[in-house]
Every structure is written in C-alpha cells, then in structure tokens.
Amino acid sequence: MRTQLLARQPELRTERLRLTQLGPDHFEAANVGLDDDDEGRKLTGTHATFTDEQIRTWLAKLPGAADRADWAIVRTDDDKVIGEVVLNDLDVDNQSMNYRISLYGSAFYGQGYGTEAGRAVINFGLGVLGLHRISLGVYAFNPRAQASYAKLGFVLEGRHRDALYWDGEWHDELIMSVLATDPRP
C-alpha cells in the first residue's frame, strides 16, 4: 500500500469534476452542506448540529492527514463546490478503508455527480493507493445511493438492523464493499 499518498493527497479529475483536498478554504460550502440540507442530514444519518468553530476546526485537521483522504467535489464548469467524498478509517493491516460521500443539497442529486466522483476515488483507492477492500454503509431508504454504489462495483454484504432512528422510525443500514479482486464496471 502507498499510504504516503494520503498525507500528500493528489487532485483527481473527471469529465465534469475536480476533486481537490478538502480544507479550510471550503468552509462556506461545507457549512451549507452540514447545516442547511435536511434531506442530506437524513441520508447521512447526521443528528448532530455543528457550530462554525467546530466546522472550521475539523476542516483545518484534514490537509496532511496520514490516515484519510477528503476531497471537495468541485464542478469544473463553474468552480462550485458541490460536495465531499472521503476515504477514511484506514486499516493498514487489512488494506481497507471506508468510503463516504455527501452532496451539498438536492440541487446536485440525480445528475451522476456522486457516481462520477466515486469512480475516481474508488479507482484511486484500489488502483493507486493499493487497498484491497473499500466498504460503506447506506441506509435502506436511499435506493438512489445504492444504485450509484452498485455502478461503482460495490456489492451488498449484509445489513445492520434498526441502525438509525429518524423521525420516530427505525431504519436498517446496508453494508456494501468493493474488493480489488472484484470485476469493476
């Protein structure tokens, strides 16, 4: 594994997007993504609210982190930050990480941005970084995300029953993963 690439995280490019190191310069977009998007909060299971200081402190810790890679998703046609995509929870012994993505508002849903950004990050993780496994959790009420993950090669492994309590109801979390040895779309 080439874990040194986490601390010196490269910029990734796709047809419509530029994935750049998430950090303090992205405060305004991240603040909107964390606090002003009720649907996004539900999709990510985020009950907490965050102060500006907490967000700024978190963003300041990301550049140079040796155990994770956090990218801002920037739309290239207008340089708008539309979300973030992350590899975290590094397990060196088992050559694995967790995958997470969040688009900053419903205006960016359903346009393929998540799949496009995800493809770049999965290819980086498995092909460049040298991971064997990348896993994620997605709530059962989010079929749009499940379809995106399947397009990236993620396979359903199981479920955590009643993992999220939201608006008076319990929801299952589905566990998915992609392996370096899996056929990739």
Side-chain angles (χ1 to χ4, degrees):
M1 283 187 22
R2 300 171 65 196
T3 57
Q4 71 276 14
L5 293 174
L6 295 173
R8 293 181 291 119
Q9 172 183 328
E11 182 173 277
L12 306 177
R13 291 186 174 265
T14 70
E15 183 178 331
R16 300 179 296 164
L17 304 172
R18 180 171 44 89
L19 307 181
T20 188
Q21 170 68 65
L22 186 65
D25 292 345
H26 303 103
F27 169 76
E28 294 301 326
N31 192 25
V32 169
L34 285 169
D35 285 335
D36 295 339
D37 180 16
D38 290 336
E39 184 178 3
R41 291 167 50 78
K42 179 180 180 182
L43 293 174
T44 58
T46 305
H47 289 289
T49 56
F50 303 96
T51 66
D52 288 358
E53 182 180 338
Q54 287 172 314
I55 296 168
R56 287 183 197 281
T57 299
W58 173 249
L59 290 172
K61 292 178 183 179
L62 298 179
D67 62 346
R68 60 185 297 133
D70 297 74
W71 287 273
I73 304 170
V74 181
R75 199 166 47 192
T76 53
D77 66 352
D78 61 3
D79 281 331
K80 182 164 185 64
V81 177
I82 64 169
E84 63 187 70
V85 59
V86 177
L87 288 174
N88 62 0
D89 297 336
L90 174 64
D91 181 341
V92 174
D93 294 330
N94 295 304
Q95 301 172 3
S96 68
M97 292 184 87
N98 180 69
Y99 173 84
R100 182 176 62 74
I101 188 167
S102 177
L103 297 178
Y104 293 160
S106 60
F108 309 116
Y109 299 169
Q111 298 179 50
Y113 292 128
T115 302
E116 189 173 330
R119 185 167 287 112
V121 169
I122 299 308
N123 287 340
F124 170 79
L126 298 177
V128 178
L129 194 57
L131 295 172
H132 174 69
R133 180 177 195 274
I134 299 174
S135 61
L136 62 83
V138 58
Y139 295 110
F141 56 72
N142 192 352
R144 184 178 56 235
Q146 294 167 46
S148 174
Y149 301 147
K151 287 178 189 175
L152 298 175
F154 282 89
V155 175
L156 180 65
E157 294 183 332
R159 91 178 31 233
H160 293 280
R161 297 179 308 140
D162 289 354
L164 176 69
Y165 189 71
W166 198 273
D167 287 338
E169 294 183 48
W170 288 103
H171 302 278
D172 292 354
E173 179 184 23
L174 307 179
I175 307 305
M176 301 177 80
S177 74
V178 60
L179 304 178
T181 55
D182 288 342
R184 298 231 298 286

